[in-house]
Amino acid sequence: MRFSRKTLGIPYAVFLLLFVVAPLLVLFYYAFTNGKGEFTLQNLTDFFTDPNTLGTLAYSLAIAAVTTAVCLLIAYPVAYILATSKLKAKSVIIMIFVMPMWINFSLRITALKEILTLVEGNLARYPFLNSVIGMTYDFLPFMILPIYNTIVKLDGSLTEAARDLGANDRMAFLRVTLPLSLPGIISGISMVFLPAMTNYVVLDMLYNSTYIMGSLISSYFAAFNWHGGSMIALVLLGIICLFTLLSDSGDEKTARTGGALL
Amino acid sequence: MSRKIVRIAVPVLVLLFLYVPILILALYSFTDATQIGAIRSFTLKNYVTLFSTEELRSMIVGTILLALGAALLATILGTLGAIGSFYSRKRTSSAIATVNQIPVINADVVTGFSLCILLVVVFGVSKDSYIPLVVGHVTLCAPFVYLSVIPKLKQMDSSLYEAAMDLGATPAQALFRVVIPQILGGMVSGFSLAVTLSLDDYFIATYTKPATFDTISTYVVNATRGSQTDIKTALWALSTLIFVLVIVIVGVMNFNSGRAQKKEAEKA
């Protein structure tokens, strides 16, 4: 059998065109047409003039921002302490922190829900708080791992040099370690922020009936409104693109699934 | 001194946050309680229900088969894609790499919704054919296989393939005897990533699956809306089993990689 190595890529290239590029094109088509197939900006103006959808966008951004901040505040100290510890088994310990992400998320949220019900009695009382706790519970490992990976690779002699040059511990951390761990922080943020805007299952399961962007897609889907749903999907895509451009996505691919540890 | 306490307390507290819910649920899965609270008696009833209820059994088997099937397809496609793009011109390979990145960073809701629109609404493919579901999961997984294989190709000595050809191997032989063994590690980790992604997915499945088929995620989410307590507590048992399975797998992997590192160290 004669073939060149290049031709091996053709099936995958065709696959990507059919199932990654084409769906996006269809999304654009549906977002800018109406039921009769005529071009329209109606869906776009509907989204940006309807107080309900704008409210949903604001609520999603709020949940995502708070969740991301909470994750970062918890994950950074943990990642830092582990990465800088002198323990031999730290690769095993980080594994224990990351392991929950291999347990099905809906089952983990079920577990959390039972505990929260026990503590709070009625989950409906603190919907926003519960959603943030749920998302933090779900996404925390995705924040810990990239930050840990960045700090553990840092050259320890840099902080030593800073100290030799007269910096105290705090200065050495603020001026050397923190700026150098920024890539890990950014990749962690992009791992948490976007899912937090769209993972409406966490809200559903914890009895928060307020919509986020993901729930909006699902409600249009349930109502067979492909045009409106496509517009929401496009808005989300826009936010994702903006985010990717800002964060200049580096190593999130490994962070998403803990691939670095496999 | 206080610093030492913080260095231990912070990670321990976070571990408790991550594990206490799972562990408490595991404890209660062995009781007849229908909600967390007082324990009256211990029983294996939930485990019996889990394995004897046809609906639950077929849901678990279906989820596993889907994950393995989608991961296998994704591994074949993603690996071929990686080899092809690695040896292509710069422009082709960077185009593939860019498009490959789309499902990785895109929200799963958007991926699932857009695939459903394309396949079901535009082309009228029936969801009952399982085609949208399998395509959806392969789309979710293949990019990660591609990303795990590419680094292995970069590490590989590029003259090996040419050497095999010069020695009279056909391209197929050179591929299977020389290239594949070199990138096998990447393929295996890509495959296992694919399995975990497929097992964890809710959003793509919910937009593309047949109405009568459920994955663990879609089943659990629907079950929490229902009021069948025996199903609810049987899912606690499922959660516990998966937890134990993950511990075993991670433990074995750690043990193996530890042994491999030791061997490396002895060689050096």
Side-chain angles (χ1 to χ4, degrees):
Chain A
M1 189 163 63
R2 290 269 144 198
F3 57 86
S4 98
R5 283 174 289 183
K6 280 186 222 167
T7 54
L8 291 176
I10 292 175
Y12 190 53
V14 172
F15 180 86
L16 288 178
L17 278 179
L18 279 179
F19 302 122
V20 176
V21 177
L24 293 184
L25 296 178
V26 170
L27 219 52
F28 269 95
Y29 174 79
Y30 272 85
F32 290 106
T33 52
N34 60 20
K36 291 184 220 125
E38 295 158 340
F39 173 81
T40 174
L41 290 174
Q42 190 69 42
N43 304 316
L44 184 72
T45 48
D46 279 354
F47 179 86
F48 284 104
T49 50
D50 184 347
N52 287 325
T53 49
L54 286 180
T56 301
L57 180 62
Y59 192 76
S60 313
L61 289 171
I63 280 215
V66 174
T67 302
T68 310
V70 172
C71 280
L72 188 59
L73 284 176
I74 300 175
Y76 196 91
V78 172
Y80 179 81
I81 290 171
L82 278 175
T84 55
S85 84
K86 293 181 185 70
L87 288 171
K88 249 187 154 175
K90 59 184 170 189
S91 66
V92 177
I93 298 177
I94 187 73
M95 191 73 108
I96 298 174
F97 278 90
V98 174
M99 215 166 60
M101 70 182 168
W102 290 314
I103 302 169
N104 187 292
F105 87 98
S106 60
L107 290 172
R108 277 190 294 135
I109 297 293
T110 308
L112 183 72
K113 179 186 159 196
E114 298 298 331
I115 304 299
L116 286 177
T117 311
L118 180 71
V119 174
E120 295 174 9
N122 181 1
L123 281 182
R125 235 179 291 165
Y126 311 102
F128 188 85
L129 176 73
N130 288 336
S131 304
V132 169
I133 296 176
M135 298 231 179
T136 305
Y137 186 66
D138 194 2
F139 303 139
L140 190 59
F142 297 96
M143 184 69 98
I144 295 179
L145 188 60
I147 299 180
Y148 170 86
N149 280 339
T150 313
I151 300 181
V152 89
K153 282 185 202 127
L154 288 186
D155 188 348
S157 55
L158 288 173
T159 42
E160 272 168 44
R163 283 213 195 89
D164 288 346
L165 292 169
N168 56 25
D169 284 0
R170 227 187 80 185
M171 287 285 278
F173 172 77
L174 288 177
R175 293 284 187 81
V176 179
T177 313
L178 190 60
L180 287 175
S181 53
L182 214 55
I185 296 178
I186 290 173
S187 137
I189 290 177
S190 65
M191 298 303 312
V192 172
F193 193 88
L194 295 169
M197 281 191 74
T198 54
N199 194 328
Y200 57 91
V201 173
V202 174
L203 273 70
D204 274 3
M205 289 181 74
L206 297 173
Y207 300 138
N208 181 352
S209 54
T210 314
Y211 274 7
I212 55 172
M213 291 299 274
S215 359
L216 215 50
I217 292 187
S218 130
S219 77
Y220 280 111
F221 181 79
F224 303 106
N225 183 347
W226 319 125
H227 302 278
S230 297
M231 183 46 82
I232 310 292
L234 269 199
V235 172
L236 265 175
L237 263 179
I239 296 172
I240 293 167
C241 286
L242 204 71
F243 222 82
T244 319
L245 287 179
L246 287 176
S247 65
D248 186 36
S249 69
D251 45 358
E252 68 218 33
K253 56 194 188 225
T254 51
R256 176 164 176 178
T257 43
L261 284 167
L262 273 169
Chain B
M1 189 60 212
S2 71
R3 207 171 170 159
K4 221 171 183 175
I5 294 173
V6 170
R7 283 189 75 100
I8 294 173
V10 170
V12 168
L13 283 176
V14 173
L15 272 187
L16 286 178
F17 171 62
L18 288 175
Y19 282 96
V20 161
I22 303 173
L23 290 174
I24 290 189
L25 209 66
L27 174 69
Y28 276 83
S29 73
F30 292 103
T31 69
D32 63 352
T34 56
Q35 59 184 40
I36 309 292
I39 295 177
R40 274 173 303 173
S41 66
F42 286 89
T43 159
L44 288 174
K45 159 182 136 268
N46 289 325
Y47 292 83
V48 175
T49 314
L50 180 64
F51 288 111
S52 59
T53 311
E54 176 53 34
E55 189 182 81
L56 286 166
R57 224 175 25 201
S58 68
M59 171 274 283
I60 296 168
V61 173
T63 308
I64 295 172
L65 286 180
L66 172 67
L68 293 178
L72 187 68
L73 283 174
T75 306
I76 296 171
L77 266 176
T79 305
L80 288 177
I83 298 174
S85 105
F86 188 71
Y87 292 110
S88 294
R89 274 174 305 146
K90 186 96 204 310
R91 264 186 40 207
T92 319
S93 74
S94 68
I96 293 181
T98 309
V99 179
N100 185 75
Q101 209 57 18
I102 296 175
V104 175
I105 48 179
N106 203 350
D108 293 346
V109 192
V110 178
T111 308
F113 179 77
S114 64
L115 265 173
C116 171
I117 298 268
L118 176 80
L119 292 176
V120 180
V121 180
V122 176
F123 287 119
V125 180
S126 162
K127 283 186 190 176
D128 292 327
S129 66
Y130 288 89
I131 293 174
L133 179 62
V134 172
V135 166
H137 273 217
V138 175
T139 309
L140 172 73
C141 300
F144 289 91
V145 177
Y146 176 95
L147 289 173
S148 358
V149 171
I150 283 282
K152 296 285 169 196
L153 284 164
K154 283 185 181 152
Q155 286 165 17
M156 194 179 111
D157 187 342
S158 61
S159 51
L160 283 175
Y161 181 83
E162 273 99 40
M165 298 284 276
D166 287 346
L167 291 169
T170 65
Q173 282 172 329
L175 180 71
F176 283 104
R177 302 258 183 97
V178 178
V179 179
I180 301 278
Q182 293 279 321
I183 60 173
L184 200 62
M187 289 170 67
V188 170
S189 69
F191 179 82
S192 24
L193 281 185
V195 171
T196 56
L197 281 170
S198 169
L199 287 177
D200 208 46
D201 167 69
Y202 168 84
F203 294 99
I204 291 177
T206 198
Y207 290 106
T208 54
K209 74 180 181 64
T212 51
F213 176 85
D214 262 310
T215 66
I216 292 180
S217 306
T218 61
Y219 190 89
V220 171
V221 172
N222 287 331
T224 51
R225 296 198 184 114
S227 53
Q228 271 185 295
T229 49
D230 55 332
I231 295 287
K232 175 181 133 180
T233 52
L235 290 173
W236 297 358
L238 177 63
S239 159
T240 308
L241 286 178
I242 293 180
F243 179 54
V244 172
L245 200 67
V246 168
I247 293 180
V248 170
I249 293 174
V250 168
V252 168
M253 268 172 14
N254 251 306
F255 181 72
N256 278 342
S257 74
R259 259 203 340 202
Q261 271 170 17
K262 224 173 153 188
K263 265 192 191 155
E264 290 281 302
E266 274 163 11
K267 264 191 224 161

